Amino acid sequence: MNRYIPTLAACITMLLTLTPSAAATLPSGVKKSHYGTMPDGTVIEQYRLTNANGIVAKIITYGALMTELHVPDRQGKLGDIVLGFDNLESYLKGHPYFGATIGRVGNRIAKGKFTLDGRDYTLARNDGPNHLHGGIRGFDKVVWKAEIVPARNGAAVRFTYVSPNGEEGYPGTLTATVTYTLTDTDELRLDYTAKTDQATPVNLTNHTYWNLAGGGDILNHVLTINADHYTPVDDTLIPTGAIAPVKGTVMDFTTPMPIGSRLLSLDNSPRGYDHNYALNDSGKGMRLAATVYEPGTGRVLETFTEEPGVQFYSGNFLDATLEGKGKTVYHQYYGFCLETQHFPDSVNHPNFPSTILRPKKTYKTATIYKFSVK
Ligand code: BGC
């Protein structure tokens, strides 16, 4: 039998590379499995990403959405900190964008209308009078193609979707990608790209509902948002066009505040937060957008982004009608979202950063969710 006998040089190399912390880590990697089958027979795959510290993220090709994310608490115990379901059938029955990739344009477009280069466009209306999160069949409800891609510091999967010209009313064929990378430094990094053959608005985001306690309501989670301004809205949640200071209002999260401390005193969104914050240092690349700390488990989520804004949504419309993973009923405020994005209804507000992508240009943006404990 041929046995491997290490040479002296190999032994020295092994000793040098096996530092105490490296010895305790696991190899990061990706595993693909069958998740379910669409009514038309299309197979939905699940990709399980693991990192060196045991963090596990699971993403499926339906909606390029994250179904599970297991991260350690202060005691090192892993817990699933995102809302979702146990099977494809539940996702197909309809849900409020749990874990999903959102596009072609995340957030609202007033009355589903805009004018671009002198042409009027009408989009699908799926939120009262408005267009929301890409329409009736947005990027959260389509099947993406997945491929495992190399990552320098972890494990990665790239999802691609080609949105046909005219889909939900949008102009141009758009090829969008989102790459999920789970790094060995405990970050989940989302890199987005898009290319088009006609000018079109694009605003991709992720709609994960976080619950750092792994269950219950999120009202005691302590939130900080790196924004001195927000975009006030009308009673259909369309921005008025103002970029208003948060100082002295219940919108102010520039210092850490429990999410539930001022929830019910909001104008125009009486059930809770559902607002876009205009992040500080817009245009300066990747920077901290928000930090959330859960005192019970010690879990901390930091969100970094290259985007100008973040929609903070406190799970107001969860209403105990959905039974999620492990038969958990999702009550109001059982999860919150931090949707990094361009501002809502940007196509109708020339004073907001533009969402228009033109042919030959590449849309490129990234958001990082970083996990730790304190
Ligand atoms: C919107 C909410 C909406 C939620 C889920 C959020 O991004 O701002 O108004 O209810 O998504 O549908």
Side-chain angles (χ1 to χ4, degrees), residues 96-97 108 133 207 209 237 274 311 313 317 339:
Y97 308 95
R108 291 176 174 78
H133 293 333
H207 209 291
Y209 286 68
L237 299 178
D274 196 353
Q311 181 88 3
Y313 172 56
F317 298 114
E339 302 150 57

Side-chain angles (χ1 to χ4, degrees), residues 55 69 71-74 81 186 210 212-213 221-222 224 288 290-295 297-304 336 369-374:
I55 293 183
L69 178 65
V71 306
D73 67 7
R74 188 187 279 133
I81 60 163
D186 298 347
W210 305 97
L212 302 185
H221 285 50
V222 180
T224 316
L288 184 64
T291 305
V292 188
Y293 166 59
E294 201 286 299
T297 58
R299 290 197 183 98
V300 177
L301 165 70
E302 287 168 294
T303 302
F304 299 82
F336 66 91
Y369 299 106
K370 186 169 174 61
F371 312 103
S372 58
V373 288
K374 74 171 189 190

Side-chain angles (χ1 to χ4, degrees), residues 177-218:
T177 74
V178 54
T179 305
Y180 284 76
T181 307
L182 179 62
T183 72
D184 289 337
T185 40
D186 298 347
E187 297 162 336
L188 184 68
R189 181 183 167 110
L190 273 60
D191 282 280
Y192 302 89
T193 70
K195 291 286 274 178
T196 185
D197 61 2
Q198 279 183 55
T200 178
V202 183
N203 189 26
L204 304 180
T205 189
N206 176 276
H207 209 291
T208 292
Y209 286 68
W210 305 97
N211 185 322
L212 302 185
D217 72 52
I218 49 81

Side-chain angles (χ1 to χ4, degrees), residues 26-42:
L26 308 160
S28 48
V30 189
K31 237 172 117 176
K32 172 179 152 180
S33 60
H34 179 274
Y35 186 72
T37 308
M38 297 289 283
D40 71 357
T42 308

